[in-house]
Amino acid sequence: MARSTYPDLTVPDTSIYEFLFGDLTDAELDRVALIDGASGAETSYRQLVGQIGLLAGALAARGVGVGDVVALLCPNVPAFATVFHGILRSGATATTINSLYTPDEIANQLTDAGATWFFTVSPLLPGAKAAAARLGIADDHLVVLDGAEGHPSLRDLLGEGHPAPEVSFDPATHLAVLPYSSGTTGRPKGVMLTHANLVANIEQARGSIGLVPDDRVLAVLPFFHIYGMTALLNYALKLRAALVTMPRFDLVEFLRIISEHRATWVFIAPPIAVALAKHPLVDQYDLSSVRVVFSGAAPLDGALAELVASRIGCTVAQGYGMTETSPVTHVIPTDRDDLDRSSIGFLVPNTEARLVDVETGVDVETPAGGGTSEPGELLIRGPQVMQGYLGNAAATAEMLDDDGWLHTGDIATVTADGVYRIVDRLKELIKYKGYQVAPAVLEAVLLGHPAIADAAVIGVLDADGQEVPKAFVVVQPGAELDADAVMAHVTAHVAPHEKVRVVEFIEVIPKSSAGKILRKDLRAREQAA
Ligand code: AYL
């Protein structure tokens, strides 16, 4: 077992709202909190906290508070911050939904989370409405931030002028958010994160990520995902930095916004590193303001990281973690240029880790004096670890053991200096552009096709070394099916990031005697090919 090499820190026992905004000084209130990347419109910290209070007041006036779950389906725009923190300040719990989701996927999350109120934006209203209708969420509970006929708008709610309510709850047990993650296996599940989990993780990340108040942070990674929620939205606001929002990734717009707004800090997932290292367009923009490119959510290739660092003239760092750990557990400190960029750096403060041999279940030896350990499954314990999966004790028990160790499903090694490296993934989860793709979801869609007898999905690497979902398909006897038809069928039923991008027809899907798909056999077959 290893404990973080950083000194322990004390985590304040407070709500996320008090933690982030309770001690804003007059000078800080006048600083810019958010900039809309497209229009340049600015929101100050004073405006932001004012709006958060008014929204919490409007929700409280409607009886929404502790015990309620409010859904948020919204790309990165400045109003996301108002709504997210307005919900939390009312005492309600926010469930953030992937803005690429299909109406079915939205409805599943709304139902599973037990959401009774729903906030979205007009471009996403058709999908949101279809999903809300399935649960009987009425139009007056479906708020359209920028306004739509028959629905309350954000302006309507703020305009009522209700003061923020007095709410009381225990930050250690009260759920702040329910983001969805498929974890090691199966379908997406609600990850129960308390106010204390979120507060702890910001404190833990702070020392090593190293943002400063004068940073201008490019916020293209989505706030609905735990990376964007903690490392961008909440961490940057805690530091009184400015967030420049982008609702979706587009390389030209991304480069334009960095140069126009003089962004100093860019959080990315690895596919953006590929573009930054290789795309000819990058040379046409002035990116000299950028001091740090920080990558997380999927493996970053070391050579690629070096290319980005030298081309842009900045530091490249990396973080690791998962939704179930709020998310940060490891970071390459941005002031440690000597560390290998393909490692995930050190354990953050107050965090413990074990590496356990997958075959024997025995802890691997930490190397003394030098060298690198054998690989083992990474186990994590700390104040950022989730309470469990909502309404799913079985899935919780599979991931969190009786001693509080969270089994990540990732295989790692560690050096004598405490530098970790992710070397493999034990669990079935696929990361496409840093987004989660659950094989179980795609397999169910594939089996819904009348000409498909059986199917299995794994992640494979494309020409750029990035992971993409690949389907192995067994065709029904006598049926005719080609790869394009398989891909078109999946595309019609899932969000764009979940598309199957490679298809191989196979005689039989390898399975254990208990009927479980033997993904490692499929992976081995892939490597042999
Ligand atoms: P989820 N290297 C390799 N794999 C990674 C990395 C990384 N740096 N980061 C995440 N993963 C994989 O819930 C790993 O398999 O959270 C892990 O179990 O969407 C899974 O993705 C979790 O996926 C930060 C910034 C963490 C971002 C994050 C990412 C949270 C992604 C810490 O500082």
Side-chain angles (χ1 to χ4, degrees):
M1 189 189 82
R3 191 172 175 88
S4 170
T5 46
Y6 293 102
D8 274 1
L9 39 83
T10 312
V11 178
D13 176 28
T14 180
S15 70
I16 188 83
Y17 179 84
E18 275 304 315
F19 173 71
L20 294 183
F21 306 117
D23 60 350
L24 272 166
T25 64
D26 251 355
E28 289 173 340
L29 282 162
D30 290 328
R31 294 179 66 89
V32 174
L34 295 136
I35 301 167
D36 185 325
S39 70
E42 296 184 347
T43 308
S44 68
Y45 276 87
R46 189 184 307 281
Q47 288 168 318
L48 177 62
V49 292
Q51 291 170 4
I52 291 170
L54 287 167
L55 180 59
L59 287 170
R62 287 162 174 77
V64 178
V66 174
D68 294 307
V69 175
V70 179
L72 176 54
L73 174 77
C74 180
N76 284 11
V77 289
F80 188 107
T82 301
V83 177
F84 179 81
H85 284 294
I87 294 168
L88 268 55
R89 195 174 183 196
S90 78
T93 300
T95 190
T96 52
I97 304 178
N98 186 327
S99 48
L100 301 172
Y101 266 6
T102 64
D104 271 340
E105 291 173 317
I106 298 169
N108 287 344
Q109 184 170 334
L110 291 172
T111 308
D112 190 75
T116 51
W117 281 81
F118 190 5
F119 285 74
T120 193
V121 289
S122 59
L124 302 182
L125 185 57
K129 221 174 158 96
R134 234 167 278 176
L135 279 84
I137 294 180
D139 283 359
D140 62 346
H141 284 216
L142 175 51
V143 181
V144 181
L145 300 188
D146 49 334
E149 186 68 35
H151 297 271
S153 71
L154 185 58
R155 181 190 295 243
D156 294 338
L157 298 184
L158 301 184
E160 291 170 357
H162 294 288
E166 291 291 328
V167 286
S168 82
F169 52 75
D170 179 359
T173 55
H174 185 54
L175 297 186
V177 292
L178 283 168
Y180 273 63
S181 165
S182 60
T184 49
T185 180
R187 291 178 171 276
K189 297 170 274 289
V191 178
M192 299 193 285
L193 298 178
T194 61
H195 283 256
N197 286 143
L198 298 186
V199 169
N201 206 230
I202 292 164
E203 283 294 272
Q204 293 174 300
R206 221 169 148 162
S208 34
I209 301 192
L211 268 182
V212 296
D214 282 335
D215 274 313
R216 294 160 82 83
V217 179
L218 187 77
V220 65
L221 299 187
F223 295 146
F224 63 72
H225 181 250
I226 195 72
Y227 183 1
M229 191 187 294
T230 293
L232 282 74
L233 183 64
N234 292 339
Y235 174 55
L237 292 176
K238 177 65 188 171
L239 268 290
R240 317 307 183 214
L243 284 155
V244 185
T245 61
M246 271 190 79
R248 73 193 66 79
F249 182 76
D250 168 86
L251 185 61
V252 170
E253 185 69 351
F254 174 79
L255 297 169
R256 182 190 72 76
I257 290 177
I258 292 176
S259 64
E260 196 161 298
H261 292 283
R262 309 292 301 153
T264 59
W265 189 293
V266 188
F267 282 107
I268 63 161
I272 302 184
V274 176
L276 286 175
K278 299 185 177 167
H279 205 287
L281 268 178
V282 173
D283 292 326
Q284 295 177 24
Y285 291 82
D286 175 8
L287 305 183
S288 61
S289 56
V290 176
R291 65 181 190 97
V292 177
V293 168
F294 189 100
S295 178
L300 178 67
D301 181 76
L304 189 70
E306 296 300 337
L307 277 174
V308 173
S310 60
R311 191 176 192 195
I312 299 184
C314 66
T315 297
V316 176
Q318 182 171 193
Y320 161 88
M322 51 201 298
T323 309
E324 290 81 352
T325 57
S326 301
V328 189
T329 65
H330 291 76
V331 174
I332 300 180
T334 39
D335 59 0
R336 287 288 301 268
D337 263 343
D338 56 312
L339 295 185
D340 177 357
R341 306 288 102 184
S342 68
S343 79
I344 55 167
F346 302 106
L347 280 168
V348 295
N350 299 27
T351 305
E352 296 171 302
R354 285 166 55 198
L355 296 181
V356 176
D357 186 290
V358 177
E359 302 296 328
T360 64
V362 176
D363 285 48
V364 308
E365 304 241 351
T366 311
T372 301
S373 76
E374 291 300 311
E377 184 185 5
L378 175 64
L379 273 50
I380 294 288
R381 194 160 68 178
Q384 71 272 56
V385 171
M386 68 166 176
Q387 311 306 298
Y389 292 117
L390 180 71
N392 197 335
T396 303
E398 235 173 79
M399 183 166 257
L400 259 180
D401 68 26
D402 291 344
D403 297 319
W405 289 102
L406 179 128
H407 296 238
T408 64
D410 291 311
I411 307 290
T413 60
V414 63
T415 67
D417 297 333
V419 176
Y420 287 76
R421 174 187 302 277
I422 302 295
V423 295
D424 201 0
R425 200 182 290 143
L426 191 59
K427 57 189 168 189
E428 64 190 41
L429 176 69
I430 300 169
K431 282 320 230 12
Y432 176 72
K433 296 195 169 165
Y435 286 111
Q436 290 200 0
V437 178
V441 169
L442 298 183
E443 286 154 7
V445 169
L446 287 163
L447 292 175
H449 191 293
I452 295 181
D454 205 357
V457 177
I458 64 167
V460 298
L461 297 184
D462 70 6
D464 284 325
Q466 304 299 310
E467 201 177 6
V468 297
K470 168 170 179 173
F472 290 88
V473 171
V474 181
V475 180
Q476 292 282 13
E480 296 245 346
L481 194 62
D482 63 16
D484 286 342
V486 172
M487 289 194 272
H489 170 74
V490 176
T491 300
H493 289 88
V494 300
H497 64 284
E498 297 171 301
K499 283 183 197 175
V500 163
R501 287 163 205 270
V502 189
V503 175
E504 182 178 333
F505 294 99
I506 191 171
E507 291 294 313
V508 60
I509 302 290
K511 289 192 182 158
S512 70
S513 51
K516 263 188 88 171
I517 296 170
L518 292 172
R519 291 173 207 280
K520 66 175 175 16
D521 290 7
L522 290 171
R523 283 197 208 115
R525 177 190 168 101
E526 226 12 69
Q527 260 146 25

